[in-house]
Amino acid sequence: MNNLVILGSIGLDDIETPFGTAKGALGGSGIYAACAASFFAKPDLISIVGKDMPKEHIGLLKQRGIDLTGVSICEKTFRWSGFYEYDMNEAKTKKTELNSLLEFKAEVPEVYRSPEFLFLANIDPEHQLSVLRKMKTKPFVIVDTMNFWIASKKDKLLEVIKKADLVVINEGEARQLFGTPNLIKAGKILLDLGPEYAVIKKGEHGALLFSSENYFSAPGYPLEEVKDPTGAGDSFAGALAGYLAKTKDTSERNVRKAVVYGSAVASCCAEAFSLDYLKDTKYKNIKERYGVFKKIRKF
Ligand code: AMP
């Protein structure tokens, strides 16, 4: 059906949080995004992975119905190491080893070139632009990024944002990108660049959705134990993209629902390291959390 194509990184992560550590854990924006989207759709993944990636990780992706035709193979997988202090909303990067991402050509298989929805997850904006250029038809384009690319390739990133229909970015990165402490201003600047919607993620405190007419604020899921928020942002955006691809409805009302589904899936991601909790989460659990959101939003 090819109605959702995702571009993102595949990585091996070393993570430290106040609640434990993980070494060589499955990670990367493309992995979290595709797994989260797979609750709603069958995503096609464009990425690159090294031969050093344990086989069982690849098995997990296949089990979830993720198409890997667009994943090329090289020697060494991208690696990221980071840590969190008690403020689990901010990841601090210790080291980024681009490895595979340096030789990535962002090749797009012929069957991936006319999706209805394209999610350009956090990766080098030059790869995001390259994939966009290869599309034969105009998909609904969702874009995410992170501080690393804002610092190193801001101009290219702004080019990508101008071509997006919906931009997802976290609060710290929105402030960094536009040099303002005010998220309402940052949301408006994002919309002025062209996208129909802008979503600013606020970690455990939820997300803000901006459109030209309206403003919507979704709370975070009331989790008492956050073990590792790595990938929660990618999972949020992946689930949002998956829900839109499933429903094929980009009205504001439906984008609001997609934001809430995004928050529900992201909360499952944060319950354990890597994909340890998310991989065993059932669609029914996501629906239950969606129900909790409905309840806590009533006043
Ligand atoms: P987040 O959802 O923001 O917590 O994303 C965490 C994931 O982003 C980790 O699994 C990393 O492997 C991945 N990552 C970290 N830095 C980069 C980067 N510069 N480009 C692409 N992916 C990255």
Side-chain angles (χ1 to χ4, degrees):
M1 191 170 42
N2 302 107
N3 86 329
L4 173 61
V5 169
I6 297 177
L7 163 73
S9 59
I10 296 181
L12 288 167
D13 294 342
D14 292 339
I15 306 155
E16 287 168 43
T17 82
F19 309 103
T21 58
K23 267 207 161 309
L26 177 62
S29 59
I31 294 290
Y32 283 109
C35 286
S38 70
F39 285 105
F40 309 98
K42 286 201 180 309
D44 299 328
L45 183 60
I46 303 173
S47 193
I48 184 164
V49 67
K51 291 178 187 155
D52 51 351
M53 174 63 74
K55 296 267 176 305
E56 67 266 21
H57 291 339
I58 305 295
L60 166 73
L61 303 177
K62 289 188 179 156
Q63 255 174 39
R64 298 196 67 96
I66 299 162
D67 187 281
L68 302 176
T69 316
V71 176
S72 45
I73 314 282
C74 67
E75 284 306 313
K76 221 171 163 216
T77 301
F78 163 75
R79 284 185 170 261
W80 176 77
S81 59
F83 67 96
Y84 299 83
E85 289 167 327
Y86 273 102
D87 176 3
M88 301 274 270
N89 282 325
E90 199 197 345
K92 306 233 167 72
T93 297
K94 270 183 154 171
K95 200 169 170 195
T96 302
E97 292 174 60
L98 290 173
N99 301 331
S100 48
L101 295 190
L102 289 175
E103 37 183 300
F104 187 38
K105 301 273 183 304
E107 274 158 22
V108 180
E110 199 54 38
V111 288
Y112 286 18
R113 290 184 183 216
S114 38
E116 288 170 87
F117 292 83
L118 173 64
F119 176 28
L120 303 170
N122 168 34
I123 200 164
D124 187 331
E126 301 209 41
H127 296 326
Q128 294 177 319
L129 284 172
S130 161
V131 166
L132 254 178
R133 278 190 214 108
K134 289 173 189 145
M135 292 296 138
K136 284 185 176 160
T137 51
K138 163 75 185 78
F140 184 89
V141 179
I142 301 163
V143 170
D144 192 3
T145 193
M146 76 177 287
N147 49 13
F148 185 89
W149 304 115
I150 296 171
S152 58
K153 299 205 175 174
K154 184 172 166 177
D155 289 348
K156 288 284 167 199
L157 175 64
L158 289 172
E159 248 185 81
V160 184
I161 290 177
K162 286 180 188 162
K163 294 181 167 38
D165 296 287
L166 189 157
V167 176
V168 184
I169 190 165
N170 86 23
E171 56 179 326
E173 286 150 8
R175 292 187 177 109
Q176 178 189 0
L177 183 57
F178 299 122
T180 171
N182 187 296
L183 295 181
I184 307 296
K185 267 193 191 147
K188 290 207 165 133
I189 301 173
L190 272 170
L191 293 183
D192 285 344
L193 288 170
E196 191 179 350
Y197 302 107
V199 176
I200 299 186
K201 298 173 279 184
K202 289 165 57 68
E204 62 185 317
H205 303 302
L208 309 174
L209 166 68
F210 298 84
S211 68
S212 58
E213 303 286 314
N214 278 314
Y215 168 82
F216 172 68
S217 163
Y221 185 81
L223 264 193
E224 283 193 27
E225 244 190 280
V226 175
K227 281 229 173 77
D228 170 25
T230 306
D234 305 316
S235 304
F236 170 90
L240 179 150
Y243 182 74
L244 293 182
K246 175 185 171 177
T247 52
K248 302 181 182 200
D249 173 358
T250 59
S251 66
E252 191 189 314
R253 186 178 150 76
N254 203 50
V255 174
R256 287 183 181 209
K257 287 186 185 169
V259 166
V260 174
Y261 274 111
S263 297
V265 175
S267 70
C268 294
C269 174
E271 289 227 20
F273 280 84
S274 185
L275 286 109
D276 290 356
Y277 191 92
L278 201 59
K279 72 174 167 28
D280 295 324
T281 303
K282 303 276 175 279
Y283 182 66
K284 131 176 169 302
N285 307 127
I286 304 293
K287 287 294 286 185
E288 276 163 17
R289 290 195 178 192
Y290 185 84
V292 171
F293 275 108
K294 271 193 156 168
K295 253 198 198 149
I296 59 179
R297 285 291 295 174
K298 270 206 186 118
F299 63 91

